[in-house]
Amino acid sequence: MSSTPLAIETHDVRRIYKIRGGKRKGEAKTLIALDGVSLEVPRGELFGLLGPNGAGKTTLIKILATLLLPSSGTAKVDGLDVTTQTQEVRRRISMVSGGETSGFGLLTVEENLWMFARFYGLDNKTIKSRLAEMMQMVGIYDRRSTKISDLSTGLRQKMNFIRGFISDPSVVFLDEPTLGLDVTAARDVRGFVKDWMAQNPDRTLLLTTHYMAEADELCDRLAIIDRGKTLICDTPENLKRRLQSETIFHLKIQPLRKPTSPENVVEAVPGVRSVTIADQTDFSELRLSLQGEEALPAVLSHLSGRGSGLLSLEKREPTLEDVFIQLVGRRLDEDTNLNGTGEER
Amino acid sequence: MTTLSPVRPEGERPMGFADRLLSLPFVQRSDALRSFILGAWLGWQIESNWADPLLFAVYSFARPIASVMILVVMYSVITDGATQQPIFAYIYLGNALYIIVGGVLGGISWAVIDDREHYRTAKQLYTSPLVGYAYLCGRGAARLLIGAISTIIVTVFGVLLFGIPITIGSIDLPFLIASIMLGLTSLSGLGLIIGAISFQLGRNAWQAGELISGALYLFTGALFPLDILPPVLREIGLIFPATYWLEAMRRALLGTNMIGFPTFAALDNTAIAFILLIMSVGLWVSAAFVYRWSMRQAREKGVIDLETNY
Ligand SMILES: Nc1ncnc2c1ncn2[C@@H]1O[C@H](COP(=O)(O)OP(=O)(O)OP(=O)(O)O)[C@@H](O)[C@H]1O
Ligand SMILES: [Mg+2]
């Protein structure tokens, strides 16, 4: 294909959900899950979506995977419109959600994968060789004749993960693929993703994750999205480079007695750009972003003046997490869903 | 047919027959045919997946026979054992055949909710290039197969024990084949419409097909000729394909032993077949529209992979 169309292209995609069961009767409540998202992902790219809970990542993936229609805007996969050319899009894509432990429990692993491969029109020989290879790669080959209902959730997840690749799709959507997997299994999955991408330069993969390290390790480029809007889109290196002018320290301190929030207190110190704090049981973890190292002594004396002793201090290179905090204003594990609306699923 | 152990022995591939069908070149090229065959294969795995084969036999054979026996007993008490009357064969066959009506209508709409709410695989299915209506018909076909086996057993039982007058000579084979094909086409069209609408509904739609076939049972002439009903209620039966199908099947099986009940006495076999044909076409055209509309609605509302929470 000479004039390669973009693998994924969205233009000003908005998605509005109607919320059932509003407080007062007759009141039509709506929620804007996506608020004008425009993305361009060329073929061959491993693209990441980062965002806090409720940011709209799953909604975007569902639109691209033809499960959901955008309320306005256009979305294309492989140059095909997801709204109108549904069947053609489905031939080329696959979607796997992390924590997806569902399946036809009465089928064996092999039968289930065979069935899905057949939906895509693969022939028997291809199915057999591909299945055996993929099952071996993620380590469920020796469980291929086990019924799905008798698998552990992690193994089911691995099976569903393979299902996403069995048809050799040109675009794969992975929604939090390592969610709930143990460390080794998550590493297997990441390894699989990298190998799969390396095998063919035309393959494209879009993934969402809550793990910054995973995004950093895997993604060629990533977009940070919050409240339905893309805040930025760049390579992990460029994103981190934005923060070169900042100096980042991690502090462990004795817990602050709080009449006022410690963040506010420290933020008032001159030279401090931003502070986040995570309270552990017997200490507090502070992440400080300073204009320069010279601002540190003032912060430390401020803390000790408030009766909080320093337990440890560490200077750090900027990470994606720091980029995220700078842009979104809070850590990834803090929730967007302040309006307390319906849960997904 | 069923495996008791969770692990299937090596080499035993239950997808063998389906695999051969799917390997035919024209099947491999057609999304719809593949979807139908896989739907039927999956449906059969589900329908025959009884941990206990005995339970499976009870459910598929003993239960239908038992429910027909209840009718037989009631009939005998009321008529003082007049099983030789033509009305007995009429009722007996009507009920044996109605198992299939429930199977086709129920099987298709059940599959929609079953995939979405029970197996939670709707997301996986409807992002793959399966052809939804073909797949659902396949799932319905598996249910139909089990229903048909029940119907045959109940019918044979009736011939042997109660002298239902079906003989080699009484069967009008060409008309029987035409009736079966037209009946299944029209009923599956109706089943698809119910299935398509089920996409819009939550878990409550679980039994939509069974409910509708159950509600229409009294109006189809399965239990008594329509003439007994007041004219207004009779109309309900006359717009439902099962009514004509039951009539056609009785005529095809009983031949001249079938004494014309007044409802359709004015219609000959060709006319009945023609009505079924028109209904089949009408229902399938409607089903195509309703299915497309419903899928679009479902994508708009985001309910393809809906899982009802309680
Ligand atoms: N079916 C739905 N009906 C109503 N609101 C919904 C529906 N699905 C999602 N939402 C809302 O849309 C917003 C975006 O949700 P989405 O699932 O896309 O977020 P996300 O970025 O995937 O979050 P997470 O990281 O928790 O998976 C949230 O506020 C969510 O509550
Ligand atoms: Mg999500």
Side-chain angles (χ1 to χ4, degrees):
Chain A
M1 252 170 255
S2 51
S3 67
T4 325
L6 291 164
I8 301 168
E9 187 183 1
T10 70
H11 184 71
D12 205 19
V13 166
R14 284 168 59 85
R15 171 69 210 196
I16 298 168
Y17 286 112
K18 286 200 180 66
I19 313 237
R20 282 157 300 222
K23 290 249 164 62
R24 264 164 279 146
K25 267 194 185 152
E27 184 187 26
K29 273 180 111 189
T30 57
L31 182 139
I32 302 173
L34 291 177
D35 194 7
V37 172
S38 301
L39 287 178
E40 291 192 346
V41 180
R43 282 230 175 103
E45 195 163 79
L46 208 167
F47 190 88
L49 281 178
L50 269 181
N53 290 133
K57 305 178 297 291
T58 301
T59 303
L60 184 60
I61 282 198
K62 279 188 176 179
I63 288 174
L64 292 168
T66 75
L67 282 178
L68 199 62
L69 291 178
S71 304
S72 68
T74 54
K76 287 183 177 175
V77 171
D78 254 1
L80 301 159
D81 191 312
V82 294
T83 305
T84 53
Q85 293 167 291
T86 316
Q87 187 72 358
E88 284 308 303
V89 170
R90 287 179 182 171
R91 245 184 261 288
R92 290 168 166 74
I93 61 156
S94 72
M95 169 184 153
V96 183
S97 318
E100 187 173 318
T101 54
S102 52
F104 293 100
L106 59 136
L107 300 182
T108 66
V109 172
E110 192 176 20
E111 286 166 352
N112 185 60
L113 293 169
W114 166 84
M115 182 179 75
F116 276 97
R118 280 293 196 183
F119 276 133
Y120 287 87
L122 301 190
D123 64 75
N124 215 349
K125 245 177 72 187
T126 314
I127 295 176
K128 266 194 178 154
S129 65
R130 224 179 257 172
L131 257 185
E133 187 192 345
M134 289 184 172
M135 287 195 291
Q136 265 152 4
M137 277 177 82
V138 298
I140 54 168
Y141 185 73
D142 53 342
R143 306 300 299 275
R144 65 191 179 282
S145 303
T146 307
K147 285 192 179 185
I148 295 173
S149 54
D150 296 332
L151 290 180
S152 72
T153 48
L155 290 175
R156 281 190 220 180
Q157 211 171 321
K158 282 185 173 180
M159 178 200 68
N160 273 321
F161 180 77
I162 301 184
R163 180 183 49 74
F165 295 89
I166 194 82
S167 61
D168 193 15
S170 60
V171 183
V172 174
F173 300 101
L174 299 179
D175 195 5
E176 301 182 39
T178 55
L179 180 79
L181 290 179
D182 66 36
V183 182
T184 329
R187 199 191 308 128
D188 288 348
V189 161
R190 285 197 297 272
F192 186 100
V193 164
K194 279 196 266 189
D195 288 348
W196 187 78
M197 286 299 289
Q199 274 163 21
N200 183 338
D202 270 347
R203 289 173 173 170
T204 310
L205 195 146
L206 184 144
L207 73 84
T208 74
T209 178
H210 276 123
Y211 307 114
M212 292 289 179
E214 186 168 288
D216 206 352
E217 176 189 344
L218 289 177
C219 298
D220 299 318
R221 273 197 317 148
L222 48 89
I224 294 183
I225 104 169
D226 187 30
R227 295 170 213 265
K229 285 193 156 84
T230 38
L231 302 178
I232 200 166
C233 179
D234 213 330
T235 62
E237 291 68 36
N238 284 346
L239 289 175
K240 282 182 282 187
R241 205 166 295 144
R242 289 164 46 93
L243 294 185
Q244 287 304 283
S245 65
E246 305 210 359
T247 314
I248 290 160
F249 286 97
H250 272 208
L251 279 70
K252 274 186 193 164
I253 56 169
Q254 287 164 349
L256 287 160
R257 287 175 294 279
K258 28 177 100 176
T260 45
S261 129
E263 273 149 326
N264 294 342
V265 174
V266 181
E267 232 153 38
V269 177
V272 174
R273 281 213 174 125
S274 68
V275 189
T276 59
I277 187 155
D279 281 322
Q280 311 293 339
T281 35
D282 44 7
F283 60 90
S284 298
E285 232 171 10
L286 248 65
R287 178 201 159 278
L288 279 178
S289 168
L290 306 178
Q291 266 154 20
E293 269 178 50
E294 58 283 0
L296 187 62
V299 174
L300 294 180
S301 68
H302 199 99
L303 286 172
S304 64
R306 300 224 138 227
S308 173
L310 182 66
L311 300 174
S312 76
L313 170 70
E314 184 192 358
K315 186 177 176 194
R316 280 239 332 260
E317 285 301 304
T319 63
L320 272 182
E321 173 115 42
D322 301 317
V323 180
F324 188 90
I325 290 168
Q326 190 210 28
L327 285 164
V328 180
R330 60 195 184 285
R331 297 159 61 105
L332 181 54
D333 45 24
E334 286 173 57
D335 221 321
T336 304
N337 247 345
L338 301 170
N339 41 359
T341 43
E343 285 272 282
E344 187 198 356
R345 260 170 259 170
Chain B
M1 182 162 39
T2 45
T3 14
L4 294 172
S5 74
V7 180
R8 285 216 172 86
E10 199 60 42
E12 186 198 328
R13 307 232 311 167
M15 56 270 214
F17 177 61
D19 218 20
R20 266 195 304 263
L21 277 181
L22 288 160
S23 299
L24 299 172
F26 70 98
V27 175
Q28 208 158 338
R29 275 194 300 272
S30 159
D31 285 348
L33 283 177
R34 286 198 320 269
S35 302
F36 178 80
I37 293 168
L38 286 165
W41 175 81
L42 177 62
W44 178 252
Q45 304 300 317
I46 293 173
E47 297 295 337
S48 61
N49 180 51
W50 294 83
D52 187 347
L54 187 70
L55 215 67
F56 177 66
V58 167
Y59 180 82
S60 309
F61 315 127
R63 204 180 71 155
I65 288 177
S67 58
V68 174
M69 283 306 293
I70 294 173
L71 273 178
V72 170
V73 170
M74 274 164 47
Y75 176 87
S76 304
V77 170
I78 295 168
T79 62
D80 207 7
T83 54
Q84 300 313 310
Q85 295 291 319
I87 185 75
F88 178 73
Y90 182 98
I91 294 175
Y92 192 94
L93 269 186
N95 279 276
L97 290 163
Y98 209 79
I99 300 170
I100 291 180
V101 175
V104 175
L105 294 190
I108 294 178
S109 59
W110 168 282
V112 171
I113 310 294
D114 203 28
D115 286 344
R116 192 164 67 178
E117 302 268 3
H118 179 202
Y119 296 113
R120 290 179 290 119
T121 45
K123 209 186 312 195
Q124 309 172 2
L125 292 169
Y126 295 96
T127 51
S128 83
L130 99 160
V131 175
Y133 65 84
Y135 164 79
L136 291 175
C137 282
R139 292 284 300 267
R143 184 76 73 88
L144 165 72
L145 190 64
I146 290 179
I149 295 172
S150 304
T151 298
I152 291 169
I153 289 181
V154 171
T155 307
V156 168
F157 198 74
V159 171
L160 297 180
L161 255 76
F162 303 112
I164 303 289
I166 299 175
T167 60
I168 301 292
S170 73
I171 297 176
D172 179 348
L173 199 59
F175 187 54
L176 179 68
I177 293 171
S179 302
I180 291 174
M181 298 206 342
L182 289 169
L184 293 183
T185 325
S186 53
L187 288 174
S188 56
L190 187 59
L192 262 185
I193 293 176
I194 302 171
I197 292 172
S198 303
F199 269 105
Q200 306 297 317
L201 309 169
R203 181 178 301 198
N204 307 326
W206 202 286
Q207 307 262 31
E210 268 92 350
L211 280 176
I212 289 177
S213 69
L216 290 171
Y217 173 66
L218 290 181
F219 306 103
T220 53
L223 194 55
F224 47 76
L226 286 187
D227 312 77
I228 293 176
L229 290 171
V232 188
L233 294 180
R234 212 179 294 164
E235 301 296 320
I236 298 175
L238 293 180
I239 57 169
F240 189 41
T243 312
Y244 301 92
W245 183 62
L246 293 182
E247 177 76 13
M249 290 295 286
R250 287 182 184 118
R251 288 187 188 187
L253 289 171
L254 295 170
T256 47
N257 295 329
M258 161 92 179
I259 312 284
F261 286 95
T263 326
F264 293 118
L267 301 172
D268 63 8
N269 289 0
T270 321
I272 297 262
F274 188 70
I275 292 174
L276 278 174
L277 180 68
I278 299 288
M279 285 192 153
S280 298
V281 174
L283 284 166
W284 268 84
V285 170
S286 317
F289 277 106
V290 174
Y291 186 82
R292 284 180 71 114
W293 168 83
S294 189
M295 280 318 261
R296 215 190 146 82
Q297 279 287 308
R299 288 175 72 201
E300 205 160 294
K301 293 197 230 152
V303 295
I304 290 188
D305 58 335
L306 172 92
E307 284 151 24
T308 318
N309 286 314
Y310 279 110

